Amino acid sequence: MKIKSQAGFSLIESLLVIIAITLVVFVGFYVYNAKNDANKTLDKAATSTNARSQKAKKSKNYLFIKELGIKLKLDQDLQGLEYKYSPEASDGVGSKNAGLSEKRFTKTVKACNAEIIAGDPVNFANISRYEGTYDPQAQPHDVFAEFVKQLPGFYLEYGNPDGGFCRGTDQVAAKATEKLFKELNTGLKEAAKNAESIQ
């Protein structure tokens, strides 16, 4: 008696193979789509965060001195800049003045000058607004000031003391203070020269 060998798949085996392939394709397709959806969600979140961050950076890049009607574009070193408005003119010609201080500078000066009151900021510069058009033949209103910018209807003068903020005997602190003063003064004077008018 001869035994016949069976070759190939039976119907049930063929169906099982097709079902297995279908399942593998379906799971792969599902995982691929889920990953793409997750990536899109992450990209949207990152874009939204970047947009908010850029908006925040733009608003921090300016110091608005509304009493003088100007805004100053600040570089990274001047992000701690603050001002105090002085409504009464000390020069007798009706100027509006803003004394400018910076947090790091105030802290540095207080470290080497015991006479500074704890809560007071230390001004290292002053911006004054004068109505009208600047006359290049006229002397500056203050011996420590100079003309920096003509704007529609008014002009600005920028001034500051020439140092001497530290009155103590700590020479290291005095040098650190003078170094920071020069850096801040250079940046702020440039910002004053590029001041923009605000309404």
Side-chain angles (χ1 to χ4, degrees):
M1 182 171 123
K2 287 185 178 178
I3 298 175
K4 292 183 179 178
S5 64
Q6 291 182 336
F9 291 106
S10 69
L11 180 59
I12 292 175
E13 290 170 334
S14 298
L15 285 173
L16 288 175
V17 169
I18 290 170
I19 289 169
I21 291 171
T22 304
L23 282 173
V24 168
V25 169
F26 177 79
V27 169
F29 183 75
Y30 178 81
V31 169
Y32 175 78
N33 277 343
K35 185 177 178 184
N36 278 349
D37 288 344
N39 285 343
K40 286 178 184 176
T41 303
L42 289 173
D43 286 345
K44 282 182 183 178
T47 302
S48 176
T49 301
N50 285 342
R52 284 195 302 271
S53 175
Q54 289 297 327
K55 188 174 182 181
K57 283 181 184 175
K58 285 183 182 178
S59 65
K60 287 182 182 177
N61 284 344
Y62 284 92
L63 175 67
F64 290 82
I65 307 177
K66 60 183 180 180
E67 294 88 350
L68 302 188
I70 61 170
K71 65 178 179 177
L72 306 175
K73 187 170 185 178
L74 306 179
D75 63 21
Q76 192 63 32
D77 291 335
L78 291 171
Q79 291 300 311
L81 195 67
E82 300 172 326
Y83 79 93
K84 184 174 182 181
Y85 176 62
S86 302
E88 295 179 9
S90 59
D91 53 20
V93 293
S95 66
K96 296 178 181 178
N97 302 290
L100 295 134
S101 59
E102 199 271 346
K103 293 174 185 175
R104 290 172 302 150
F105 184 72
T106 295
K107 185 176 179 181
T108 304
V109 172
K110 287 179 181 177
C112 69
N113 192 343
E115 296 174 16
I116 303 294
I117 298 170
D120 289 344
V122 178
N123 291 341
F124 70 92
N126 187 68
I127 295 180
S128 300
R129 170 181 167 147
Y130 297 91
E131 301 303 318
T133 304
Y134 174 70
D135 179 3
Q137 303 300 321
Q139 292 293 321
H141 295 92
D142 184 331
V143 69
F144 294 111
E146 63 181 276
F147 167 79
V148 287
K149 180 83 181 225
Q150 177 69 53
L151 290 153
F154 66 95
Y155 63 93
L156 303 174
E157 287 187 1
Y158 178 88
N160 56 348
D162 56 359
F165 292 99
C166 286
R167 298 195 181 115
T169 57
D170 187 343
Q171 292 301 312
V172 175
K175 284 181 182 178
T177 302
E178 291 303 317
K179 182 176 183 287
L180 183 56
F181 167 69
K182 286 176 184 174
E183 290 172 5
L184 294 171
N185 186 47
T186 300
L188 183 55
K189 187 183 279 189
E190 192 61 30
K193 288 179 180 177
N194 295 306
E196 299 174 43
S197 180
I198 56 173
Q199 299 301 322

